[in-house]
Each structure stands twice: as structure tokens, then as C-alpha cells.
Amino acid sequence: MTNSADGAAPCPHIALIGFSGAGKSTIARLLAPRLDRPCIDTDAAIEAACEKTVPEIFAQEGEAFFRAREQEELARALSSVPAAVIACGGGAVELPENFALLQRCAVVVYLRVEVEFALARIDELHSRPLLAEAGTTDVITALMDSRQALYEALADVSVNTNYRDPNAVCDTVCKRLRKAGYDL
């Protein structure tokens, strides 16, 4: 990699990870034009490729099918040119191949959210199959807790989204990436 005049490293793909309701899709849509990058939402790409919604895919094909498509779309996104802002599905980090691919090919931003904020942001719980299946706040909290160590281990930058306006989150992401030494 070549460095810019100020010594900052060029910023490769920016992958947003975090639990459902953390704001990954929203932040990606706002951040991408700020950085003059394409925006790729892996869940939306899966829906387009399968011509079904994520809940329909889970119901008709199962989670294993969805995770395989997720792996394909993530690999496609991380090989795209130019570098993009990528909104990853909440469970994408659970597959070791995805974890390794993100680690190798992207600057990873973990959007942290507490359960009550995540649930308040999700308009329809049934649109998130694993959350709908979980049902109770306790089970959803356990699912979030089971992923937290993966999110933290993978993150180059971490930003809390509780009580935060999406534009303020974007400002913080940019500031933290610059502070981490990336030329945006």
C-alpha cells in the first residue's frame, strides 16, 4: 500500500458489523456518499439475488442456505472495485471464513448497540428471522452476547450508536478512522 503525503494509509473497504438494529444499513447509506464510495448492503444483495426477502429465504430455504449466500455476497463485496462501504449482516461474523475475509480485506467498524435500542429501531421484529424466532428480550440478549466477542475481536474501530443520530455516528466513524491512520 502506498501512503498519502500525510503518512496515512489508503483506506480499503469499510465493513460495518454489529447486531441487528445497530444501524449498519443506515450508516452505510449515509457514509458511502461522504467518502465517495459505493454502498453495498449484503442482506439487500442476497434478497436481490434470490428474489426473496430475508424472512422468506429463512422460511423456505433455511439458515444454512442464507449463510452460504451471505458468504458469497460478502466475498463479492470485498473483491469489488473501487473500495466500498459494506453493511454486513449481523451474523456474518459467526462464519470463520467471513471473519477471516473481513480481517484480511477491510477496515472493520463495529457499531455497538444495547438490546433495548436495537429492538426500538427494528420496525417489525418478524423482518429479522433469528430475532423473531428468539422472541423474548432475554433470548435476544443471549444471541447478542454470543456475538459480542466476535464483533470486538474483529473491530478496528468501535462506535456506540445508542442515543445517537445517524449523522453523528458517521462523523464519529470518520474521525476514528482518521485517528487510526486511514486516509479517507
Side-chain angles (χ1 to χ4, degrees):
M1 275 197 291
T2 59
N3 287 345
S4 64
D6 64 1
C11 192
H13 294 287
I14 298 169
L16 305 178
I17 63 169
F19 200 69
S20 295
K24 300 176 301 290
S25 295
T26 299
I27 299 306
R29 281 191 305 272
L30 292 171
L31 189 60
R34 281 187 185 198
L35 301 178
D36 195 28
R37 293 170 179 245
C39 175
I40 301 171
D41 186 313
T42 59
D43 282 353
I46 293 165
E47 288 180 334
C50 294
E51 297 180 341
K52 297 176 185 177
T53 65
V54 170
E56 290 170 338
I57 295 167
F58 266 77
Q60 296 169 14
E61 309 292 342
E63 185 178 0
F65 176 88
F66 176 81
R67 294 298 174 202
R69 299 297 76 71
E70 183 175 55
Q71 184 178 9
E72 290 172 9
E73 291 302 332
L74 182 60
R76 184 175 291 117
L78 290 169
S79 65
S80 67
V81 176
V85 176
I86 303 165
C88 300
V93 299
E94 292 183 309
L95 193 63
E97 295 86 352
N98 289 347
F99 190 97
L101 191 60
L102 284 163
Q103 202 168 38
R104 192 172 59 251
C105 299
V107 174
V108 180
V109 177
Y110 170 28
L111 299 179
R112 295 185 326 271
V113 65
E114 292 177 21
V115 171
E116 59 269 18
F117 290 95
L119 292 176
R121 291 178 185 157
I122 298 169
D123 295 334
E124 298 177 17
L125 199 57
H126 72 272
S127 70
R128 313 294 173 108
L130 292 180
L131 299 187
E133 183 181 305
T136 69
T137 302
D138 289 343
V139 177
I140 293 169
T141 300
L143 178 61
M144 181 185 280
D145 290 346
S146 73
R147 293 178 179 169
Q148 186 169 352
L150 293 170
Y151 295 144
E152 290 173 355
L154 190 53
D156 296 300
V157 171
S158 183
V159 176
N160 188 321
T161 65
N162 298 328
Y163 296 109
R164 310 249 347 250
D165 171 80
N167 285 306
V169 172
C170 287
D171 292 342
T172 302
V173 168
C174 290
K175 185 186 326 176
R176 298 242 173 104
L177 289 172
R178 286 185 186 101
K179 187 175 180 181
Y182 292 101
D183 180 18
L184 302 178

